[in-house]
Every structure is written in C-alpha cells, then in structure tokens.
Amino acid sequence: MAFPTTERERERRRIVIMCLPFFVLATFAGFVPLIVMARMSLSAENLENAGWSFAAWEALVTEPVYREIAWNTLWFATAATVVSVALGVVISHVLEKYSLPFENVLVAVVSFPIALPGIVVAFMAIVLLGRQGLVTNAVAVFTGSSAIDLASATSVFGLFLGYVYSLVPRATMVLRGTYAEVDTRAEEAARSLGATPFETFYHVTLPEIRPGIVAAFILTFRSALAIFGTVLILQALAVVTLRIDYEIGVGFNTQIAGAIGLVYALFLIAFTFVGLRFVSNKTVEI
Amino acid sequence: MTDYYTDSKAEAETGSKELRSGTESKWTSARRSASERIGRPTLVWIVYLVVAILVVPILMTFISSFASTATGVLPRGFVTFEHWRHVLGFGDYGVRANAIPGLTFSVLVATGGMILNVIIGIPIAYALSRYDFAAHNWVNTLAILPIVPGVILGIAFLRTYPDYRGSALVLIVGYCLLKSPYMVLTVQSSFQSIDIVKLEESARSLGASWPRAFLTIIVPHAKRGILAGCIITWTLAAAEFNFTYMVHTGDPEPFSMFLFRNISNAPYLQSAAAISIYFSIVVCAILILQLLGNRGFTTLNDDR
C-alpha cells in the first residue's frame, strides 16, 4: 500500500490519502470524545473518569422522569418535523412551478433562518408571541382580551413556533434540490391528457419527489432533536438537550448527562443509517 | 389545517393551460376551475404567510434597534444609535455590553475553523465525487451529516480535553467538525458540475503529475463551491451557540455568549441591537453567496 506498483493500487492510495484528513479530525473530535463520554457514564466519580458504577444507567431505566423526557422529545420533534416538511413541500412547489415576483428575495428570506442560532430564534418567537409581541397584540385587539394573558412565547405553542421557524428553511432547501430535478415533461403530459392539477401532483409529481421528502424528513428530524438554544431561552418543555444541561448545571451529574448523551447519539446514528436506506445519498443537501 | 392543505396542493402546473384549451370538454373545465380557482391562490397565500412569519420578526428586531423606547407594541422615537453604540462598546456605561472583544475572538476562531474545513473538506469531497470504492456510502453519510449534535459534543469534549476547556483550539476543532458537512456539500456540488475525470485525464496525459493535476487543475475549478462553503461554515461558526455554551469559560467571551447574555438579561432594545449585529453579518454572507450562484443561505447552486 505504501509503495504501489500498479495504477489500481495508486488509486486506492489516493482515496485513502484524500479521506485521511477528515477521518483524523472525526476521530479526535468525534469518535474519541464519544468513547470517553461512554466511559463517563460508567464512572463512579463525577469530576473525573475513575472507578466503575452502573448507577447512572439504573437511574435512566428506572426513574420515570427520563421516559417522560424521551417521550416529550420524540413527539415534539416529530410534530415539528411533519409540519415543517409539509410547509417545505408547499414552498418549494410554489417557488419552482409558479413565477412569483421577487423570487430571489423570497429564496434568500426563506433560507435566512438556517444561519440563526437557536437563541436568536427564541428571540424571534418572543417578538411574535411575547407580551409585547406583534401577533399577541393583534389577537388582543380583535378578541378584546389582555395581551399579557395571550402571550404564548414561553408556552409549548411558542416553542413549537420556534422549532418550525428554524426547521422550515432546512426542509425547504432539501426539497428545492429535489424539485429542480423533477421531469416537467411527464407533468405536462399528464395535464394534456386531462388530469387535474391535483391529480397531476398526486400521481406524477409526488412519486418523483418522494425521495426528497424522506431526505427532508431525516434531516429536519435530526435538526429538531439537536435544538437547544431555543428551548434554553423559552424553557417551555423538558426535552433531552435541556435535560442534559440541567444534569450538568444542577449537581454536576456528569454520569447521567453522559448516559443520556450516549443514548441520544446512538439513536441519532441508528436513525440516520436506517433512514438513509430508503433514499439515495444524493438527495441529502442542506 | 390538514384538509385545507392537501386540497390546496391541487395546482401543479402553470404552463400547460394553452395545451389543453383545444380539447376542453364541459367535464374537465368544471373540475379545473375548482382546482385552479382555489388551489393555486391558497398555496401562494400559505407561502406569503410563512415568509411573513419568517421575515417580520427579523425586520422588527432590526428596526427596533434604532428606536429609543419600546414600551408599547411598536417601538417609537426614531432614529437613535444609542443601542448600537452601547453594544459596540462606545456607550458611557457600555463596558459590560461590549461586543467587540467577543466578536474579534469569534471571528478568529471561525476563520480557523473555516481554514481547517478547507483542508479536510476539499480532499474528501474530491474522493467522494471522483472515485467509487467500498464503503463509499458510509463515508459519504459521515461526511455530510454531522456525527453528533453540538450539546453532546460539548459535554464529551469537556471530559476528553479538560485542560483545553474554552481554548481557541477546542472551539476551532469543534466548529470544524460540526460545520464540515456544508463545506463537503458545496465542494461536491461544484465537482459534479464539471467533468473532473476528463479534466484530470487531460492534465495527466499532458504530463502533469497527479498532485499537480489536483492542485492546479481540479481545485481551481471548484473555487465557487469552496468559496460558498467558506462563507457558510464561517457564518455558522461565528455565532455557534450549543457547543460554545457547553465548553466556553467566559474569557474571552465568544460572540454567541454575548448574544445569549443580551437575550436573557438585557433590555429589549439592547438585545435587538446585539442581534442586529449578527443579522448584518448574515445579510453580507447571503449577498456574497448570491454572487457565487447560491440563491440564499444554502449549499444549493442554481447555476449547475
């Protein structure tokens, strides 16, 4: 391998050399820390990895609060993902099929929140739904009730808006990539053979964009699980990332934090690899 | 919401009206009118509503940062630069609210992460688009989807590298790994838009060694993708919060921590000004990306 004599061996060496920098980084910044974190969850001491104890894993299995957190995380992330992907289909459909004025600006605006960290998204939710929020006060004017009672930024609804706010752009960008490759001739044929626009969408367009929808679902769900800043500011629901912060912040329970982190990371990896079996890698773009 | 939405997807085509006008029967025209009268406008209104929800708070925040009072619903008393001066550290009492040291530190760290991303991202993107090999799909998945989210990576880093807690090195390495998918994707999309096999073979048959062909022919052809990847990874790292929150020590305070402190503690208008600093950075990033052919803050290139 080190001193190749044939072109085939040289090619193999090139592949290894080209992949090497990434894997060096992934090892030191990804795999090694994950293994250390696994060890951390089994440590008897909370300040360093020393001794062995299964206490954290026992707590994780027996205490009902952790099942509740897992349930909160999963249903909330799934709901936010479904809504975001559905809106993403509508937005990419409209952007691709209809010619709206200022389309470039629309695309730029829709993509803007991808750049925003979760804490800024939380602020956006407060601007809309807080006590001085625009939506809150608009509703207050129409219903006649007080804006302070209507404020919902720090409720589950406000958090849901925050999630959707940061997820819709991601879902839309994946689906835009898919829509760009849809064969418009088949759609035109369907229309000219008498199919209504809805029938055309359901029987022709939808099967073509299905891989994109699956890819968007995978990516968006992963992003939804990873949201932390938004929920740290709004504090509306105990999800897994917030709980990890709580375990570290209150009592420095590093073993439990490590155990939760490991379960979370393994779930994410398993979900990704199982999910990607249904789609080609090419559809995954951010 | 669901019924309303599936029904509204009805409109799928714009350009085919004239195709059908010749063979129209009473039956088709009746069904089409329902679909076209309701479906298309509904979809367009959904899009405008979503865009409004996305953009109004951004504009509102930016405009508020120039207002002098925000006791009512709408900010009043324009135009004042008080809050901007304050967060930029020129205010009379603005020592603790100064964004400049944090911003400088974050800019340096983000630049480090970006350079590291160029070093690791271009080679693997090239290997993945040029060669087909065993485990290609696995490597691709690892490269384009971050292995672990920032919070988890943060606590894992704390235990693995306790002596480097909050150091620039830890932040650079962490940002690089977390944002590497964006670099790999943009560079891959550049490589896919040119015939790299043919290019490389031409260069090789004209006598260039393989390293020379790679460095002087292949890489320059991907410069748009590389630049786009640089801008995206840099912007995202400049305000990365989840990982930073876990590993930072507060000295020097990264920009995202400055934002966090403002959002959770400062008066509304001062928070608005602090966030607007970052909005300005993102707007610049999007404008440069548009010049490179990416419409918006995305790895998608429309010139492909």
Side-chain angles (χ1 to χ4, degrees), chain A residues 28 49 111 115 165 197-198 222 286, chain B residues 10 54 146 159 161 278 297 299:
Chain A
F28 285 105
N49 287 352
S111 75
Y165 190 98
F198 178 72
R222 285 176 51 104
I286 324 172
Chain B
L54 294 180
R159 183 53 57 92
Y161 308 111
Y278 183 61
F297 200 84
T299 60

Side-chain angles (χ1 to χ4, degrees), chain A residues 52-118:
Chain A
W52 296 88
S53 154
F54 285 96
W57 289 96
E58 266 176 51
L60 217 58
V61 174
T62 51
E63 284 182 30
V65 63
Y66 296 109
R67 272 195 295 281
E68 193 189 318
I69 283 163
W71 166 243
N72 282 348
T73 311
L74 289 176
W75 80 258
F76 201 68
T78 309
T81 305
V82 168
V83 170
S84 305
V85 172
L87 289 173
V89 171
V90 175
I91 295 171
S92 42
H93 189 99
V94 168
L95 288 176
E96 182 70 26
K97 305 288 177 195
Y98 311 160
S99 46
L100 298 183
F102 307 112
E103 209 178 286
N104 272 348
V105 180
L106 285 183
V107 175
V109 164
V110 170
S111 75
F112 196 96
I114 295 179
L116 301 182

